[in-house]
Amino acid sequence: MILLTGGLGYIGSHAATLLAKQGLDFIILDNLSNSKIDVLTRLEKITGKPIQFIHGDIRDRALLDQLFKNNPIQAVIHFAGLKAVGESMEKPLEYFDCNIHGSITLFEAMAEASIHKLVFSSSATVYGENDNPELVETMPTAMPTNNYGYTKLVIEQMLEKLAIANSRWSIAILRYFNPIGAHPSGLIGEDPQGIPNNLLPFVAKVATGELPILNVFGDDYPTPDGTAIRDYIHVMDLVDGHIKALDYIQNKSGCFIWNLGTGKGSSVLEIIENFEKVTGQKVPYQIAPRRAGDITACWANPEKSKHELDWQAHFSLEQMIEDLWRWTMPNKKEERI
Ligand code: NAD
Ligand code: UFG
């Protein structure tokens, strides 16, 4: 059995659909700080199976001990954490507590219960800004410009030291690029509270008329059209990488790092153009100043994941947008309310 921390969130819920599809047994632990309980019902609808769920916090050591005692858990996929870059600058201690203290509590409880297989959600943000935008796992990490990214770097470093100290640990660190899209059923997807920070959820809200206009943060970057470039990856491709990584570490000891990205970058203007083409909706936008902390361009070098995990992204940008749009369309939204 696998424990999914944060399994009702955006990426964790998509991972749950894939685990269920592959007949893998799992249990979800989530404190619902950034997700809604109705995701559980939706997961049950998609999978056709009851889903085991515990409402609780990764910082609750007694709860974790009980959970590990009562369930035959062999591995943990650790999605739980706070992820808003801007908020992390306003509330650093909340981020250190939830992400770093929460992870330490989880790892301690795992060690105590003799569970040493772990897949951790990290981020390409740990690479910082590089002269070469194609990011490879062998590149050195850099101090991220925001507190959220800092928590990811700290946890990565702790995990590497943990694996050196005790060879029983088998750890997969997955560096996500920019996950977008939704489950093809349209039943689950990213559901940000309030005004979205990320590009695609914002674009979708402008297309539905919920927000008036998109600010394109900077058109003076040294890129072909002047706007920043990122590697957008379908969330279903991303979660497939977790299952492959878990499989890889089954009989291995140590700490392994893999990029999860497509290897292809798209600019903000290319995203808008593709979104309009796929959905037939206009996305009004205006050029705004650069957003503090943003880098010019990055995309994954996915070769290591391809060779070692036999994993690669399959969904096209058009499919990512189609699935996001199916999830965003007003009829689906009304169903959620
Ligand atoms: P999300 O906020 O949708 O999901 C996280 C889930 O964890 C939520 O359901 C939330 O309620 C839960 N949670 C938060 N703190 C918790 C705690 N202390 N105890 C128990 N549950 C808790 O975020 P997501 O996009 O699904 O991201 C999942 C992971 O991937 C996070 O660690 C995030 O930092 C990382 N990540 C996300 C992105 C992205 O763009 N979405 C990029 C890189 C890395
Ligand atoms: N952008 C806009 N307008 C918006 C929102 C975003 O122009 O309203 C631009 C940004 O400036 C950036 C691009 O769209 O150039 C993508 O921005 P996102 O916020 O969607 O994604 P980021 O690459 O900035 O951040 C993501 C994750 C973070 C993670 C980071 C680095 O959201 O959690 O990648 O891996 F830290």
Side-chain angles (χ1 to χ4, degrees):
M1 177 182 264
I2 300 159
L3 170 66
L4 303 189
T5 72
L8 289 190
Y10 173 44
I11 300 167
S13 60
H14 289 78
T17 67
L18 215 53
L19 289 170
K21 199 170 169 188
Q22 303 207 356
L24 295 163
D25 200 13
F26 62 91
I27 184 164
I28 290 174
L29 171 70
D30 200 301
N31 70 358
L32 299 177
S33 60
N34 198 35
S35 49
K36 298 197 183 102
I37 191 65
D38 80 298
V39 172
L40 191 61
T41 325
R42 287 159 177 276
L43 280 178
E44 290 179 339
K45 205 164 165 183
I46 292 170
T47 61
K49 291 175 195 162
I51 306 274
Q52 295 196 65
F53 170 63
I54 294 174
H55 182 192
D57 199 293
I58 52 165
R59 287 163 292 189
D60 185 343
R61 178 63 196 272
L63 180 138
L64 291 176
D65 288 344
Q66 209 51 35
L67 199 161
F68 290 140
K69 190 165 155 239
N70 295 340
N71 298 279
I73 291 167
Q74 288 128 359
V76 177
I77 309 184
H78 178 29
F79 298 103
L82 300 174
K83 64 162 183 176
V85 170
E87 187 186 57
S88 77
M89 298 308 284
E90 288 152 28
K91 303 174 177 170
L93 286 175
E94 280 186 31
Y95 274 70
F96 302 156
D97 185 48
C98 183
N99 294 5
I100 301 177
H101 167 214
S103 294
I104 293 174
T105 310
L106 173 70
F107 306 154
E108 280 173 350
M110 286 175 67
E112 180 77 22
S114 286
I115 300 161
H116 294 92
K117 290 189 195 343
L118 173 77
V119 178
F120 173 63
S121 303
S122 190
S123 164
T125 194
V126 301
Y127 288 109
E129 175 116 56
N130 273 278
D131 291 339
N132 183 351
E134 183 173 295
L135 303 176
V136 192
E137 293 87 342
T138 47
M139 283 178 171
T141 53
M143 180 58 79
T145 51
N146 62 77
N147 293 327
Y148 160 74
Y150 170 71
T151 67
K152 292 292 171 193
L153 185 60
V154 169
I155 299 166
E156 278 204 6
Q157 291 176 343
M158 283 189 328
L159 289 173
E160 290 187 47
K161 292 180 196 309
L162 206 55
I164 291 168
N166 183 342
S167 62
R168 294 182 73 192
W169 284 98
S170 313
I171 299 168
I173 292 175
L174 302 180
R175 293 182 177 159
Y176 304 171
F177 282 69
N178 289 56
I180 63 165
H183 191 266
S185 66
L187 285 171
I188 56 168
E190 192 172 10
D191 195 7
Q193 324 268 311
I195 297 178
N197 297 306
N198 296 119
L199 180 63
L200 267 298
F202 201 110
V203 166
K205 279 195 191 275
V206 172
T208 57
E210 287 167 78
L211 289 170
I213 194 160
L214 169 75
N215 283 315
V216 171
F217 296 138
D219 69 346
D220 56 351
Y221 283 104
T223 61
D225 66 20
T227 64
I229 293 175
R230 296 289 182 276
D231 183 343
Y232 298 91
I233 175 169
H234 197 297
V235 64
M236 295 308 297
D237 274 332
L238 186 87
V239 295
D240 181 42
H242 292 64
I243 295 182
K244 298 256 166 72
L246 190 57
D247 202 37
Y248 183 96
I249 62 169
Q250 276 315 315
N251 301 309
K252 290 190 181 63
S253 155
C255 184
F256 307 89
I257 300 179
W258 291 286
N259 283 341
L260 292 182
T262 64
K264 187 180 170 298
S266 306
S267 74
V268 177
L269 290 182
E270 282 170 343
I271 290 290
I272 298 172
E273 190 186 312
N274 275 279
F275 198 94
E276 290 185 336
K277 201 163 75 198
V278 170
T279 67
Q281 302 290 317
K282 276 308 278 175
V283 180
Y285 69 88
Q286 63 194 8
I287 305 299
R290 290 183 182 193
R291 187 171 66 177
D294 274 353
I295 62 169
T296 301
C298 74
W299 56 87
N301 176 322
E303 288 307 308
K304 184 169 187 273
S305 307
K306 197 169 162 185
H307 288 128
E308 293 182 355
L309 302 181
D310 191 23
W311 172 88
Q312 68 186 91
H314 294 288
F315 289 93
S316 65
L317 186 58
E318 286 73 20
Q319 287 170 309
M320 302 182 210
I321 294 170
E322 260 169 39
D323 288 337
L324 167 64
W325 189 236
R326 189 176 305 108
W327 155 247
T328 313
M329 277 192 309
N331 60 329
K332 289 291 172 202
K333 264 204 83 200
E334 276 156 24
E335 271 177 35
R336 296 210 287 280
I337 291 164

